[in-house]
Amino acid sequence: MNRERRPSTAVDVGGVQVGGGAPVVVQSMTNTDTGDVEATAGQVAALAEAGSELVRITVNTPRAAAAVPEIVRRVTERCGPVPVIGDFHYNGHLLLEQHPECARALAKYRINPGNVGAGSRHDEHFRRIIDVAVRCGKPVRIGVNWGSLDPAPLARLMDENNRNASPRPVREVMIEAMIQSALDSARMAEEYGLGHDRIIVSAKMSGVPDLVDACRALAARCDYALHLGLTEAGMGMKGTVASTAALAVLLAEGIGDTIRVSLTPAPGGDRCEEVLVAQQILQSLEIRRFAPQVSACPGCGRTSSAFFSEMADRVQAHIRSRMPEWRRLHPGVENLTVAVMGCVVNGPGESRHADIGISLPGNGEDPKAPVYIDGVHAATLAGDAIVGDFLAILEKYVAGKYSAVS
């Protein structure tokens, strides 16, 4: 995708660059009790292995803060360095001061201006967190949320709006309050000694139009690196579609340096799903590539058999299972495109457009499946072993096209 990226300041987060023209970074967050070292380290590692480049954990109690160094150690031992971010609300100043090993182990702190304290305590608590960040050389994300907006700027703007002869809609005032809270807090952090290149900002809410409008305005008024995400996106299809609708608009406009898709997992569901959705958003927009793309026929009256969809599922599962090794041995394999099509109408054409594709027979067609490699008819498959034969061709293609690394 040809898009002009919004200029932003580069921030180093535990060795991962956010902003400054770097690729958009995928991040996620655990939902374990952080005090449970084994469960949290396991989930951080699983998210990282799924492709989350930054992983955030809740740090809300002394027990959780005390567990952080061991969590980071175990994750590093299992899958190498992973930037682990601490999410602080209400008592972050105390936890960071009282647990210096936690403060040093984390790659970044996330704080919410609306939850650091009220009245005179707000600035004091905020400064104490920033002081720790400065001492430890850590970046900070100043994350404003619609549901926990700092009441001070909101009250001030509401009063001003009420005095206007033509008051603005409340929604506009609230968005402006969020932007001012983020930018005022960022400027305050700089006054307290935190470098401009140590600050990431975000303004998050659960409504798609609200998020788009707020992030557009925030991006236009600063050059801080921006984190994007629809907070409380929801479950399943709703959460996936809403997050995609919001993030796709902003990313296509060049806005956003790091993203999270905040899905509510189904009972017993896989937390890693949010990582895969975030990757697919970026991949569909052709902003980044993470894994081979499989195009599959949606089915119609020509394809009464479910075989083509079952085959597409098996091909996708095969690729997913092979990616850890392929990524290591065959750099560039993430750019591979595969097509599994169901009939003669679009099958041959789509298969030729892919790096490797197969066109399965539809109703009444000759029960043979031509395979195309780099746009050329390379083989014809038939019989019960079509899937296995195609996967063997796929493996040979990957090994031949993408340089092997010893």
Side-chain angles (χ1 to χ4, degrees):
M1 165 177 262
N2 293 321
R3 65 177 193 136
E4 185 176 347
R5 291 283 299 278
R6 161 191 171 269
S8 62
T9 301
V11 181
D12 183 276
V13 182
V16 174
Q17 182 176 319
V18 176
V24 178
V25 173
V26 172
Q27 63 177 277
S28 56
M29 185 175 183
T30 60
N31 60 357
T32 56
D33 174 4
T34 304
D36 185 336
V37 172
E38 182 176 355
T40 303
Q43 192 173 83
V44 171
L47 289 165
E49 289 166 351
S52 185
E53 294 153 302
L54 307 174
V55 181
R56 183 157 45 110
I57 62 176
T58 296
V59 186
N60 59 335
T61 65
R63 178 170 171 262
V68 167
E70 178 62 14
I71 290 168
V72 173
R73 187 194 69 78
R74 292 194 190 188
V75 171
T76 303
E77 188 176 76
R78 172 170 162 176
C79 53
V82 176
V84 177
I85 300 161
D87 192 72
F88 295 95
H89 297 273
Y90 308 110
N91 60 352
H93 58 296
L94 295 173
L95 295 176
L96 287 168
E97 289 173 342
Q98 295 171 3
H99 296 271
E101 291 185 3
C102 166
R104 289 191 292 269
L106 293 168
K108 185 181 74 170
Y109 313 149
R110 186 269 178 162
I111 56 177
N112 182 339
N115 291 337
V116 296
S120 61
R121 291 177 300 166
H122 176 281
D123 291 1
E124 176 203 344
H125 295 176
F126 183 84
R127 179 163 195 162
R128 287 163 67 179
I129 294 172
I130 299 303
D131 285 347
V132 174
V134 172
R135 286 199 303 271
C136 295
K138 305 295 182 179
V140 172
R141 172 160 71 93
I142 296 171
V144 179
N145 276 15
W146 186 287
S148 53
L149 178 59
D150 186 348
L154 179 60
R156 183 181 69 252
L157 289 171
M158 283 294 189
D159 287 342
E160 292 174 0
N161 191 57
N162 289 336
R163 291 194 294 269
N164 287 339
S166 301
R168 293 185 294 168
V170 170
R171 173 183 177 273
E172 291 184 14
V173 178
M174 290 193 69
I175 289 175
E176 178 61 25
M178 292 186 69
I179 295 168
Q180 286 196 19
S181 177
L183 296 182
D184 289 349
S185 297
R187 294 187 189 103
M188 187 183 300
E190 291 196 57
E191 290 173 5
Y192 296 156
L194 191 65
H196 193 82
D197 62 349
R198 293 286 186 177
I199 297 172
I200 297 172
V201 297
S202 66
K204 300 175 77 171
M205 54 273 287
S206 56
V208 172
D210 298 327
L211 182 74
V212 170
D213 288 350
C215 290
R216 279 173 173 162
L218 185 58
R221 289 164 60 174
C222 71
D223 70 345
Y224 294 115
L226 293 186
H227 170 68
L228 303 183
L230 196 70
T231 190
E232 297 132 7
M235 297 182 69
M237 182 179 67
K238 186 270 180 186
T240 298
V241 172
S243 292
T244 302
L247 296 183
V249 171
L250 294 165
L251 290 166
E253 294 177 3
I255 297 170
D257 301 294
T258 176
I259 65 171
R260 180 191 174 204
V261 174
S262 300
L263 296 181
T264 303
D270 188 353
R271 189 66 166 184
C272 295
E273 181 184 357
E274 66 176 45
V275 179
L276 301 180
V277 172
Q279 289 180 327
Q280 190 58 56
I281 291 171
L282 293 172
Q283 189 145 326
S284 295
L285 291 170
E286 299 183 4
I287 292 172
R288 290 187 67 181
R289 297 300 296 263
F290 298 94
Q293 290 274 70
V294 178
S295 299
C297 172
C300 68
R302 289 176 170 268
T303 56
S304 57
S305 169
F307 179 71
F308 75 92
S309 60
E310 293 167 358
M311 181 173 179
D313 186 62
R314 287 182 61 184
V315 170
Q316 184 73 70
H318 180 83
I319 290 173
R320 189 174 297 121
S321 69
R322 296 288 286 136
M323 272 307 291
E325 182 176 342
W326 282 358
R327 191 178 292 113
R328 178 171 55 85
L329 296 179
H330 304 291
V333 71
E334 64 276 4
N335 296 306
L336 174 69
T337 58
V338 181
V340 179
M341 304 303 294
C343 79
V344 73
V345 173
N346 291 319
E350 290 287 349
S351 296
R352 289 191 187 97
H353 287 306
D355 293 319
I356 179 169
I358 185 169
S359 179
L360 297 166
N363 297 335
E365 295 177 22
D366 189 7
K368 295 179 181 179
V371 175
Y372 298 85
I373 296 177
D374 294 329
V376 177
H377 180 210
T380 299
L381 304 180
D384 296 335
I386 283 180
V387 178
D389 291 345
F390 182 73
L391 292 177
I393 294 172
L394 176 61
E395 286 282 351
K396 183 178 179 180
Y397 181 83
V398 169
K401 179 168 183 176
Y402 301 99
S403 300
V405 175
S406 58

